[in-house]
Amino acid sequence: MQCVHQSCPPTKSVHTTRSVQTDHLIISKAHPARARSLLKSHHPQTPPAPPPLPSPTSDARAPPPPISGPFAAPPRRGRFWKRRAPPSRTFAEMQTAAAFRPCLARPLRPLLPARPLGVSSSSSLSPSAAAAVSVRGTRGLGLLPASPDREKRQVACAAAAGGAAKAKEEGGGFMQTLQLGVGFALWYLFNIYFNIYNKQVLKVFPYPINITEIQFAVGSVVAVFMWITGILKRPKISGSQLLAILPLAMVHTLGNLFTNMSLGKVAVSFTHTIKAMEPFFSVLLSAIFLGEMPTVWVVSSLVPIVGGVALASLTEASFNWAGFWSAMASNVTFQSRNVLSKKLMVKKEGEESLDNINLFSIITVMSFFLLAPVTFLTEGVKLTPTYLQSAGLNVQQVLTRSLIAGLCFHAYQQVSHNIMIYLYPELENTVSPVTHSVGNCVKRVVVIVTSVLFFKTPVSPINSLGTGIALAGVFLYSQLKRIKPKPKTA
């Protein structure tokens, strides 16, 4: 390569990296610009590095140009917002597919006020199902009308729900009726066995005070056993409650004693016919001590009761005055117990209320202790193996039947109170609702018929007519007692 200046000596140029560097050293002193161009031609520049990728925390992309009109993009709702892909199916297709989904276990609540579906009166739906359709049936959310398939599905779901609820209600009602029927059957069965075994013992062992004391003793053992084992909740009794229960225990003791005295003197059927006059004494004592005046209808229902008992008494083959007045005294004492329970058993603050079963158990234990000294002072302890052998009686038979009679006596009382609690759990300690009174009337009929058949008691047609009239009056009384007098307006 030769320099353009005349003073520069000629130099041979070789196109190598080393010669170029030598020429650069030679030329750079005299001609710097030419040296730079020479190096540029033999050393091309490296391509520029690509721009760095945007970091995840920064968006270096330019925003898209805005689009106006019906195809405008929706506003962004976040820093990393991305437009969702359009649905693959239309709204109508999705709605039609939803109509064939299975019924949900729990109906969904509409987000907006629902409009009831129109169900024709000729539909086979029950009223509960139609009400369910009115509540749950919506025609969408107010955006689009629901499809006919969806309406059919809602109607079908409501019908299925109504049918299931109705079947459940019918099943529960059947079980409740079955349990109640078993309760009444046990009540009647225990009462029948009590009257039969009690009458058999009193025929050969004419000591009603001893028999009554044995019955209270058996009932007390059963009550204590139930409290100890936890079958029955042990009550917490205060001294004031014991004082209030004491009069009830006294009249309860007298009532059972008079009943056993009547059963020992006259036939079982006649005793229960006389005891059908309990409503008469209930109305009389309630009016005297509680001020509860009966209605005209209740008073009119007492006429057949009194007339039927009188007719049956006139034609009774086993009639005697001791048995008659003992049964009447039993009516007075038992109805006095009901009146006293209403007047004395008032719950006070800080005292635990007693249910009917616990109250009866406490009364039974107190009656046992109340009658014990009377037994020692009057008849003495006669129900012993030694005395029974000396009297020529079968010891095992008398003792066994006495114990069975005591167990049945306590059992039918317990079942009776259980039926009361089952029928009316909210009434707690109230006395004799109508249904229980009707059941008691039917029980008396069953006991009379059974005792007549078992003991082969001679019954005349007039006696049967009088008994039937008295029991019909008891049933009429239990029905008319529900009629409340209208309050007088000022």
Side-chain angles (χ1 to χ4, degrees):
M1 182 178 232
Q2 189 172 355
C3 186
V4 295
H5 297 280
Q6 297 294 333
S7 60
C8 293
T11 308
K12 184 178 180 180
S13 175
V14 181
H15 294 282
T16 60
T17 304
R18 187 172 181 179
S19 62
V20 172
Q21 291 177 355
T22 305
D23 294 341
H24 175 264
L25 291 176
I26 297 172
I27 300 171
S28 60
K29 294 181 180 181
H31 305 284
R34 188 172 179 178
R36 285 195 296 271
S37 62
L38 178 63
L39 288 175
K40 187 175 181 181
S41 60
H42 289 278
H43 297 280
Q45 296 181 357
T46 59
L53 294 175
S55 62
T57 57
S58 64
D59 191 0
R61 294 176 297 178
I67 302 175
S68 59
F71 302 100
R76 296 189 180 185
R77 300 177 182 175
R79 197 163 186 177
F80 303 102
W81 176 83
K82 293 169 69 175
R83 184 183 299 175
R84 294 183 179 179
S88 58
R89 293 184 297 177
T90 63
F91 180 77
E93 292 175 350
M94 290 189 292
Q95 191 178 22
T96 304
F100 295 97
R101 293 176 184 171
C103 298
L104 298 176
R106 184 174 59 184
L108 298 175
R109 295 182 179 178
L111 299 178
L112 296 179
R115 290 182 291 175
L117 286 174
V119 181
S120 61
S121 59
S122 61
S123 176
S124 59
L125 293 179
S126 61
S128 59
V133 172
S134 298
V135 173
R136 283 184 280 177
T138 62
R139 303 184 65 87
L141 299 177
L143 300 177
L144 289 174
S147 63
D149 294 334
R150 186 175 182 83
E151 290 186 4
K152 292 179 181 178
R153 174 179 170 272
Q154 289 176 342
V155 171
C157 289
K166 185 177 180 180
K168 184 178 180 181
E169 183 179 355
E170 290 178 355
F174 173 75
M175 291 303 298
Q176 289 179 357
T177 304
L178 182 61
Q179 292 175 2
L180 192 59
V182 171
F184 273 102
L186 290 175
W187 183 21
Y188 296 168
L189 184 65
F190 288 139
N191 207 300
I192 291 170
Y193 274 98
F194 164 71
N195 284 277
I196 290 176
Y197 282 116
N198 203 25
K199 180 64 177 178
Q200 287 178 341
V201 173
L202 287 170
K203 271 186 175 182
V204 298
F205 187 77
Y207 295 98
I209 300 179
N210 275 263
I211 296 298
T212 307
E213 180 67 8
I214 288 297
Q215 292 171 2
F216 287 146
V218 173
S220 300
V221 171
V222 173
V224 173
F225 174 78
M226 294 176 69
W227 286 332
I228 292 176
T229 56
I231 299 175
L232 189 63
K233 183 181 178 181
R234 187 182 306 175
K236 297 179 181 179
I237 314 171
S238 61
S240 60
Q241 285 179 315
L242 286 176
L243 291 176
I245 296 174
L246 182 60
L248 303 180
M250 294 175 64
V251 295
H252 179 75
T253 304
L254 291 175
N256 285 279
L257 178 59
F258 286 136
T259 300
N260 286 332
M261 290 174 65
S262 178
L263 288 173
K265 297 294 183 180
V266 297
V268 175
S269 58
F270 184 59
T271 299
H272 282 275
T273 301
I274 300 173
K275 287 176 70 67
M277 285 191 65
E278 286 180 352
F280 174 81
F281 292 101
S282 176
V283 172
L284 181 63
L285 295 176
S286 297
I288 294 174
F289 295 103
L290 300 179
E292 298 178 357
M293 302 306 297
T295 62
V296 178
W297 300 106
V298 171
V299 175
S300 63
S301 68
L302 300 178
V303 175
I305 297 176
V306 177
V309 171
L311 186 62
S313 301
L314 291 175
T315 57
E316 175 62 35
S318 63
F319 178 84
N320 66 71
W321 287 106
F324 177 82
W325 287 117
S326 297
M328 283 293 183
S330 172
N331 288 334
V332 174
T333 51
F334 278 131
Q335 296 310 310
S336 300
R337 181 190 63 184
N338 294 342
V339 172
L340 288 174
S341 66
K342 292 181 180 179
K343 194 168 186 178
L344 299 179
M345 295 303 295
V346 180
K347 184 180 178 181
K348 299 179 181 179
E349 295 183 1
E351 292 182 349
E352 182 180 353
S353 61
L354 296 173
D355 54 61
N356 284 331
I357 299 178
N358 271 321
L359 180 61
F360 171 74
S361 300
I362 294 171
I363 289 175
T364 301
V365 175
M366 294 179 71
S367 297
F368 168 75
F369 289 105
L370 288 173
L371 193 60
V374 178
T375 305
F376 283 107
L377 295 176
T378 55
E379 295 179 349
V381 181
K382 301 291 186 182
L383 199 63
T384 59
T386 304
Y387 181 83
L388 295 175
Q389 285 180 354
S390 63
L393 300 176
N394 189 334
V395 178
Q396 183 179 2
Q397 190 177 26
V398 172
L399 290 179
T400 302
R401 292 181 179 180
S402 299
L403 292 177
I404 293 176
L407 285 173
C408 291
F409 168 74
H410 194 79
Y412 91 76
Q413 297 276 4
Q414 290 273 8
V415 173
S416 173
H417 291 302
N418 275 323
I419 291 175
M420 279 286 298
I421 295 175
Y422 183 81
L423 283 175
Y424 301 97
E426 71 279 1
L427 296 181
E428 293 184 355
N429 291 329
T430 56
V431 181
S432 297
V434 176
T435 305
H436 194 268
S437 298
V438 173
N440 194 24
C441 178
V442 176
K443 177 209 71 176
R444 204 171 298 283
V445 174
V446 172
V447 171
I448 290 174
V449 173
T450 306
S451 64
V452 169
L453 295 176
F454 185 83
F455 294 107
K456 299 179 180 179
T457 307
V459 179
S460 64
I462 299 178
N463 184 275
S464 302
L465 179 63
T467 303
I469 293 174
L471 295 176
V474 173
F475 178 78
L476 184 63
Y477 165 81
S478 64
Q479 297 299 313
L480 295 177
K481 193 177 180 181
R482 294 184 296 177
I483 302 176
K484 302 294 182 182
K486 295 182 180 179
K488 298 181 179 180
T489 57

